[in-house]
Amino acid sequence: MGNTFHGGGRSLSMSNGSTDVFVDVLVLAVSDLAESVWEYRFATLLILQDQSAVGRGVVGFDLEEIDWGSSPGEQAAAKDFVLRLIDLALRRHRWDELGYEPPFAEGFLRQYREMVEAFDPADAEPQNALSPFPGPEEAAMASCVRHRVLCAPAYWEACVFCNASESPC
C-alpha cells in the first residue's frame, strides 16, 4: 500500500519507502525555513506524515484541505513558502545528514513542486471537520536536539528521524 498527495488537479503517489524519504527531505528543509505561525503549522502537517508514528500506507494530504489564509496576500505568501521549501529540499539541503542516498527524492520533489505551482489556494476548502491542517495551537515549535528538526510534541515525543531509528530524542 502506498500514499498519495493531491493538489492542483494532480496526484503524487509513492510507495511507503519513497514517502519516508519525501517526508525526511522536506522535514530537514522546513525545520530550517519556518518562521511564521502558518509555516510552523505546515511543518506540523509534514511531520504528521511520519509513517513510523501513524502507520504505513495511511499518510498523504490534499492541498485543497489546507488553510492557505483568508486574503489573496496570505494565500500567495503561504504558497510561496511551500515553493521555497520544496526548492530548498531540491538543493539537497542537509541531505548529507540522512545516512542514505535518496535516489528518487528529486523526482518526487519536482513533481510535487509542479502540483503546488498549478494549485490555486483560492480553491481551498479547509473548513471541513476532516481537514488535516493543524490549527495554530498545534504548530510544531519544539525541536529534536539530536537531529535539529521540528517535532510535533502534541502528537508524539520523537522526531521523524528518532521514530525511524526507534531511539528516543
Side-chain angles (χ1 to χ4, degrees), residues 5-26:
F5 295 81
H6 302 279
R10 302 172 187 202
S11 295
L12 173 60
S13 296
M14 293 177 279
S15 68
N16 290 324
S18 293
T19 302
D20 287 340
V21 173
F22 183 72
V23 170
D24 285 354
V25 298
L26 287 173

Side-chain angles (χ1 to χ4, degrees), residues 146-158:
R146 180 175 169 206
H147 295 106
R148 299 176 348 273
V149 296
L150 293 168
C151 301
Y155 300 97
W156 54 83
E157 294 181 19

Side-chain angles (χ1 to χ4, degrees), residues 74-85:
E74 289 175 341
Q75 294 169 357
K79 181 176 176 177
D80 179 66
F81 171 76
V82 176
L83 291 171
R84 288 186 298 118
L85 162 65

Side-chain angles (χ1 to χ4, degrees), residues 27-28 31 94 142-145 147-151 159-161:
V27 167
L28 288 170
S31 294
R94 296 178 57 189
S143 181
C144 170
V145 175
H147 295 106
R148 299 176 348 273
V149 296
L150 293 168
C151 301
C159 77
V160 297
F161 298 103

